[in-house]
Amino acid sequence: MEVETSKLFDDKADLYASARPLYPKVLFDFVASLVITHDKAWDCATGNGQAAIGLAKNFSKVEATDISKEQIANAFQAENINYSAQPGESTNFRNNQFDLVNVAQALHWFDYDRFWDEVSRVLKPTGVFVAYSYVWPHINDNVDHIIDVKVKSVIEPYWAPNNKLAWDSYSSLDLPFKTIATPNINLENHWDLDQFLSYIHTWSGTRRCIDDIGSSFFEEARKALQSVWGDTSKKMVVKNPLTIIAGSAWL
């Protein structure tokens, strides 16, 4: 069941770009408050640039990298964002050039022995590292129960081991810097049923499961959700609590 990481995120890159939760302005305001200057940020493992586009409003230049060329091909564009296909553990960036290194929804995918060295190398002495991720969505008890029983329980064997780090809020990760206190922030998206199911379909575990056993379980989940959603065009508030890690002063 092993899948190369770049291939995993190449798959359905166009859907990923359109169906993932968007980050709120309050998150990027907090990130911007962490640094002294706002010249240059590196958004590492940018995916389709959902974080890069937010950082671009607060930094003069954003370098956004990802190992998936397909993700970058579907990325959000801005004049001050430069996209490139590079692994986070080994880049062509100069030493000490970034005010911020940012990782959104990807900290669980790196080779840490190499990644932390690379982050330390490219950060300015006053620079800051920040990472954030979200896991399970919440709408209401009825919807959440159906997702638990008809989706999460089915796809559980198909998740990569890396995902457990995110589920556990990175509590077992050995961080090589002095941590900074972070606020409690939720992602909040207003989605109809089709938008919500498109998001569930972007989960790597969902896609792996469908590839292996087919999509009948997903169609069953759709029918069950329709019964509790009511008007399927009605927008529901979908909340995803964020885990946020920030630090500086490398140890």
Side-chain angles (χ1 to χ4, degrees), residues 1 9 11 58 81 96 98 100-101 104 108 118 135 156 160 162 170 177 191 237 244:
M1 225 183 310
F9 292 104
D11 183 38
N58 291 300
I81 301 177
N96 310 125
F98 291 109
L100 177 83
V101 174
H108 43 290
E118 185 70 353
V135 285
E156 183 177 2
N162 310 62
Y170 302 115
F177 47 74
W191 284 337
V237 178
I244 307 173

Side-chain angles (χ1 to χ4, degrees), residues 14-197:
D14 55 343
L15 178 62
Y16 193 99
S18 64
R20 299 296 279 191
L22 296 177
Y23 298 107
K25 179 178 181 295
V26 64
L27 172 64
F28 297 111
D29 289 345
F30 165 70
V31 170
S33 75
L34 296 175
V35 296
I36 299 170
T37 56
H38 299 82
D39 297 328
K40 204 169 185 181
W42 171 26
D43 185 34
C44 179
T46 192
N48 66 318
Q50 286 172 308
I53 199 73
L55 295 170
K57 294 178 172 64
N58 291 300
F59 289 83
S60 299
K61 180 73 174 181
V62 176
E63 291 286 349
T65 65
D66 201 275
I67 57 173
S68 169
K69 294 180 181 179
E70 292 297 323
Q71 287 281 358
I72 289 175
N74 288 276
F76 296 100
Q77 299 296 314
E79 289 185 359
N80 59 334
I81 301 177
N82 179 59
Y83 289 99
S84 60
Q86 302 189 65
E89 296 88 347
S90 177
T91 69
N92 59 15
F93 299 135
R94 292 180 290 103
N95 292 350
N96 310 125
Q97 66 170 296
F98 291 109
D99 301 291
L100 177 83
V101 174
N102 181 90
V103 177
Q105 199 64 13
L107 186 58
H108 43 290
W109 291 108
F110 296 112
D111 175 348
Y112 299 110
D113 288 340
R114 298 169 58 215
F115 177 65
W116 294 131
D117 285 346
E118 185 70 353
V119 173
S120 178
R121 181 183 72 80
V122 302
L123 268 179
K124 293 177 180 178
T126 57
V128 171
F129 174 84
V130 64
Y132 36 93
S133 71
Y134 53 88
V135 285
W136 311 118
H138 170 71
I139 296 181
N140 59 47
D141 290 344
N142 291 332
V143 171
D144 295 353
H145 177 72
I146 290 169
I147 293 298
D148 285 345
V149 172
K150 294 191 174 295
V151 179
K152 285 168 61 177
S153 64
V154 178
I155 68 176
E156 183 177 2
Y158 296 89
W159 287 106
N162 310 62
N163 289 98
K164 191 174 187 304
L165 283 171
W167 299 341
D168 294 340
S169 302
Y170 302 115
S171 59
S172 63
L173 201 56
D174 187 17
L175 302 173
F177 47 74
K178 183 179 179 181
T179 58
I180 298 170
T182 59
N184 294 320
I185 296 175
N186 285 326
L187 303 188
E188 289 194 10
N189 290 270
H190 293 78
W191 284 337
D192 62 27
L193 179 58
D194 283 343
Q195 289 172 310
F196 179 60
L197 287 169

Side-chain angles (χ1 to χ4, degrees), residues 175-230:
L175 302 173
F177 47 74
K178 183 179 179 181
T179 58
I180 298 170
T182 59
N184 294 320
I185 296 175
N186 285 326
L187 303 188
E188 289 194 10
N189 290 270
H190 293 78
W191 284 337
D192 62 27
L193 179 58
D194 283 343
Q195 289 172 310
F196 179 60
L197 287 169
S198 292
Y199 161 56
I200 302 299
H201 194 270
T202 67
W203 293 355
S204 57
T206 304
R207 300 202 311 277
R208 283 175 160 176
C209 185
I210 289 173
D211 287 344
D212 188 39
I213 68 171
S215 61
S216 60
F217 79 94
F218 202 74
E219 293 305 318
E220 289 177 9
R222 175 190 290 274
K223 291 176 183 177
L225 286 168
Q226 286 174 337
S227 69
V228 299
W229 200 283

